[in-house]
Amino acid sequence: MSRRGGRDCLLAVLSDGHATMAEGVARVEAAARAAMAALPPQPAEGGRRPAG
């Protein structure tokens, strides 16, 4: 769980087919960091993110 814009965010990342578990963990962690960084820093007025 992580907080973004004063809200709790739960993110699931699934992965398969990596040569080693360490490689898979590293890629999943990188994907999760990138996904969280792509979210806006705070929700739009009214508590919802803008569409589109």
Side-chain angles (χ1 to χ4, degrees):
M1 179 99 44
S2 184
R3 290 195 61 81
R4 188 74 174 168
R7 299 177 83 180
D8 290 331
C9 296
L10 181 61
L11 176 69
V13 179
L14 303 177
S15 174
D16 189 24
H18 303 288
T20 66
M21 183 172 173
E23 178 188 336
V25 168
R27 290 193 182 205
V28 165
E29 288 175 346
R33 281 191 300 274
M36 290 301 292
L39 293 175
Q42 63 186 47
E45 199 64 32
R48 294 184 161 235
R49 290 195 355 227

